[in-house]
Amino acid sequence: MPYDMDSPTSVFARRESEARSYCRAIPQLFTEARGSEMFDADGNRYIDFLAGCSSLNYGHNDADMKAALIDHIAGDGIAHGLDLHTDAKRRFLAAFESHILKPRDMDHRVMFTGPTGANAVEAAMKIARKSTGRTNIIAFTNGFHGVTMGALAATGNGYHRGGAAMDTSGVTRLPYDGYAEGVDSAALLEQMLNDPSGGVDAPAAIMLETVQGEGGLNAASAGWVKRIAKIAQAHGALLIIDDIQAGCGRTGTFFSFEEMGVKPDLVTMAKSLSGFGLPMAMVLVRPKHDVFGPAEHNGTFRGNTHAFVTARVAIEKFWADDGFQKELAGKAERLTEALTAIAATVPNARLKGRGLMQGVDVGSGELAGEICGRAFEMGLIVETSGPRDEVVKILAPLTTPAEIFDEGLAILEQAARDVQGETRMAAE
Ligand code: PLP
């Protein structure tokens, strides 16, 4: 029997689980992508300011990564090697050591986990618990760390936690930097930990994102992160920085924390780590906390060999010197400038985030959704974040050429104007 071809997308509605999400607002059938552009089956072009939710920081199908991967496959390079020594892994580790860890004076070891961000977070939480012999992990309001059970416990969003349909435990969630006006949340945390009746059990770790990607682009100040690091140290807790979304250059430096003067005990990485959108995740672990015995935390897909090939190229191409990082600073300024203009079109709008992880809080999820919907009609893929989806969030590939960057930002500004014009007309 021939496949049902009545509509190019009908099989998704018929057979794909209701859990699908991004494709609901962006229902096109995509067939090709290059750089910062995606193309649908009818040949329509879209500028991609979602970038696989920061999994495509170097754009789609980077030519050098693609060539290295094709060579690797054509030469019958190892496709799956469990955690055996492979040439691809050796070259990735050597590049990561020379260009990322050593220049930043980081003595961390690299623990490969299953290939998703949540896999890395689960491993980090387990390491902290095993290393300290404690169970409690402190996480923060609006934090998002994944939806597997351990990571979910640390995730603030009640909708996601509700999906567990059971209690998630072992985590105390406290206010993030700036969560409540006039409240110094680092001082509050310190006071609660120092108070025998503070109600917070001695933590195995304090885990945070320096910019909360899913939580609405809340950017912690360097001062706050530094104080949290000090509190963690004073209380014998590990500092875990979840750099899954904010890392790999997204905030303007390879790690989001590197200009904050902290040395996290554990760093979780995934998303853009492979550089090519391939699944790959790892935890950076300071040697004294490298506590798992052989295979104690195992998994079949610890280290995706194809991802090692592209990740090595990404490190060598973009991070071997400071040229790329300098470009990012200029782009971030351009983004702030454009978003300031967009925010000026929306009453009471606020700029959020930092680096190339910025957005505009437009006050309501409805308005943010309408702006993104209108932008999509004009050929721009952009999404929302925040507890009520009220932040229009820009995650353009970091490699987006200036003219495409400007074109996308102009579409976004037009979309904001169009939607509000319609709102005003409807009200009149
Ligand atoms: N941590 C952070 C900061 C994230 O943004 C995400 C995903 O958005 C995760 C963890 C979970 O990663 P994954 O979706 O690959 O499991």
Side-chain angles (χ1 to χ4, degrees), residues 5 16 45 62 68 155 164 207 222 229 247 308 333 337 391 401:
M5 297 298 276
E16 193 177 356
R45 163 190 180 256
D62 174 89
T155 289
M207 178 161 71
F308 286 143
E333 269 177 38
E337 188 188 311
V391 180

Side-chain angles (χ1 to χ4, degrees), residues 78-423:
I78 304 290
H80 176 94
L82 294 168
D83 70 356
L84 295 172
H85 294 156
T86 61
D87 188 45
K89 178 152 78 171
R90 180 185 70 82
R91 293 182 71 192
F92 165 73
L93 277 172
F96 197 76
E97 179 179 50
S98 313
H99 301 308
I100 303 295
L101 296 177
K102 276 193 173 158
R104 291 163 183 79
D105 195 24
M106 291 172 70
D107 61 356
H108 296 68
R109 294 202 181 131
V110 177
M111 177 174 157
F112 296 109
T113 65
T116 69
N119 288 144
V121 170
E122 294 285 344
M125 293 171 80
K126 278 177 67 178
I127 291 168
R129 286 172 172 147
K130 184 160 188 221
S131 184
T132 60
R134 301 172 178 175
T135 52
N136 188 27
I137 288 184
I138 292 176
F140 294 96
T141 47
N142 285 307
F144 182 85
H145 301 286
V147 295
T148 52
M149 292 303 280
L152 193 58
T155 289
N157 187 298
Y159 174 69
H160 288 122
R161 272 186 294 107
M166 62 178 280
D167 287 344
T168 50
S169 59
V171 173
T172 306
R173 285 178 295 273
L174 291 170
Y176 190 70
D177 192 17
Y179 179 70
E181 222 174 297
V183 174
D184 179 343
S185 58
L188 181 69
L189 167 62
E190 190 166 28
Q191 189 178 342
M192 290 174 88
L193 286 173
N194 284 336
D195 180 352
S197 286
V200 179
D201 294 335
I206 304 182
M207 178 161 71
L208 61 96
E209 301 154 86
T210 66
V211 183
Q212 296 183 318
E214 298 306 295
L217 298 177
N218 309 306
S221 69
W224 186 82
V225 174
K226 231 177 174 161
R227 285 165 70 204
I228 296 292
K230 272 205 178 125
I231 294 168
Q233 198 177 20
H235 288 268
L238 276 60
L239 176 68
I240 306 176
I241 295 207
D242 180 349
D243 234 14
I244 287 168
Q245 189 162 157
C248 297
R250 181 51 64 189
T251 61
T253 48
F254 184 80
F255 294 110
S256 70
F257 54 83
E258 59 189 78
E259 288 173 344
M260 294 183 153
V262 296
K263 193 172 247 182
D265 298 293
L266 305 175
V267 182
T268 53
M269 306 201 68
K271 287 199 187 276
S272 276
L273 184 58
S274 78
F276 204 66
L278 296 172
M280 173 177 179
M282 62 194 197
V283 185
L284 304 180
V285 190
R286 296 210 70 188
K288 68 176 170 193
H289 300 299
D290 191 15
V291 290
F292 282 136
E296 192 177 1
H297 183 87
N298 66 6
T300 307
F301 292 102
R302 280 172 302 134
N304 171 346
T305 307
H306 288 169
F308 286 143
V309 172
T310 55
R312 191 254 311 154
V313 177
I315 299 296
E316 289 173 351
K317 178 170 175 175
F318 295 103
W319 300 102
D321 61 36
D322 62 0
F324 183 60
Q325 184 166 315
K326 282 188 177 142
E327 267 176 46
L328 297 183
K331 270 195 183 141
E333 269 177 38
R334 171 73 196 105
L335 182 57
T336 307
E337 188 188 311
L339 294 182
T340 305
I342 293 169
T345 71
V346 185
N348 305 318
R350 284 190 305 144
L351 250 57
K352 305 281 304 272
R354 69 181 168 94
L356 283 151
M357 192 173 183
Q358 298 186 57
V360 184
D361 179 342
V362 297
S364 83
E366 199 185 350
L367 180 57
E370 283 172 9
I371 292 172
C372 294
R374 176 70 188 126
F376 183 60
E377 284 169 10
M378 292 190 282
L380 175 72
I381 296 173
V382 62
E383 260 291 352
T384 60
S385 85
R388 295 176 184 80
D389 297 325
E390 69 280 24
V391 180
V392 177
K393 167 164 105 163
I394 318 303
L395 291 175
L398 310 181
T399 50
T400 306
E403 58 286 3
I404 297 185
F405 202 44
D406 285 347
E407 187 186 347
L409 291 168
I411 291 175
L412 194 60
E413 181 169 346
Q414 190 56 51
R417 289 184 190 282
D418 286 0
V419 164
Q420 292 178 96
E422 282 164 18
T423 314

